[in-house]
Amino acid sequence: MPFLELSLVVRTEQQPRAEEALDDLGALSITLRDADAETPDEQAIFEPGVGELPLWPTITLDALFDQHADRRGLAAALGELLPWLEPDQLNFAEVADQEWERAWMDQFKPMPFGRRLWIYPWNIEPPADDGLVVVRLDPGLAFGSGTHPTTALCLEWLDGLDLAGKTITDYGCGSGVLAIAALKLGATGAVGVDNDPQALTASRDNAERNGVADRLALFLPEDVEAEAADVFIANILAGPLGELAPTFAAAAKPGAPFAISGILAGQQDELLQRYAEWFDELRVDTREDWVRISGRRR
Ligand SMILES: C[S@@+](CC[C@H](N)C(=O)[O-])C[C@H]1O[C@@H](n2cnc3c(N)ncnc32)[C@H](O)[C@@H]1O
């Protein structure tokens, strides 16, 4: 399937906001490159999804959209989200599906999180060891392989909970990695929510791959039909986390442990204030430049 690629050249300090805007507009994947690199060999490529903050002075963000996406509409919406954007910072191209989005899978190795949990690429056979909880994953174009610090923060938090017999809601499920990990750690049922239909497809495929599809219900945000859960987790971005706080409060049972991530260091204070309306025992944990807030529904 070919894609529409929107490339954006920005200064380093503009990158987080530009990436958030592309994500909000529904980019299927976002890759970061050094805009000043002259040869492909010099162009270190960051993993898809929300990126780190590289030291390059200028950065090219390559965002993939559905091939039928409206170029003019995207350019106008970006102009509203990023008022400093000049037309010459933007470029559209059609790209063939060269499976390039999978090239990074070669770098994707088994990774441990917490005491028992491991994420394995779908094409590597895990060892037979009853003490390990293994999630087999093919993120495809959806975000969530475990390589990003925010996913890692969430996986470690899940590994530290007693999930036996519990239900969980994973809001912004991406590849389904968190919901599937929770099910493999003992949760009886999970709800995954994402506003990207491609993420729901990836979550379903991964749930099948892990033999937990019958315990995972998947919804677009507008279609959610689910009771409040025993545990709640959301790894999105600070903006939507702030807006969705009342939705999350309603989705978590009284006393439910909750965690949110996707928060850049420095963005946590406003969220702590907002979530204190519904959640207690709030604490902040950090990994690289990213933050996880956890606590308990009042
Ligand atoms: C950073 S990824 C997290 C994926 C996975 N849960 C993980 O931890 O790796 C965020 C996901 O949230 C979804 N998302 C962003 N804004 C959303 C919103 N307002 N409602 C539902 N999903 C949203 C994106 O499509 C994306 O799949």
Side-chain angles (χ1 to χ4, degrees), residues 143-144 151 170-174 177-178 194-196 199 221 235-236 240 244:
F143 185 105
T151 311
D170 169 12
Y171 209 102
C173 56
V177 57
L178 304 181
D194 206 291
N195 60 3
D196 176 356
N235 180 16
I236 311 190
L244 289 163

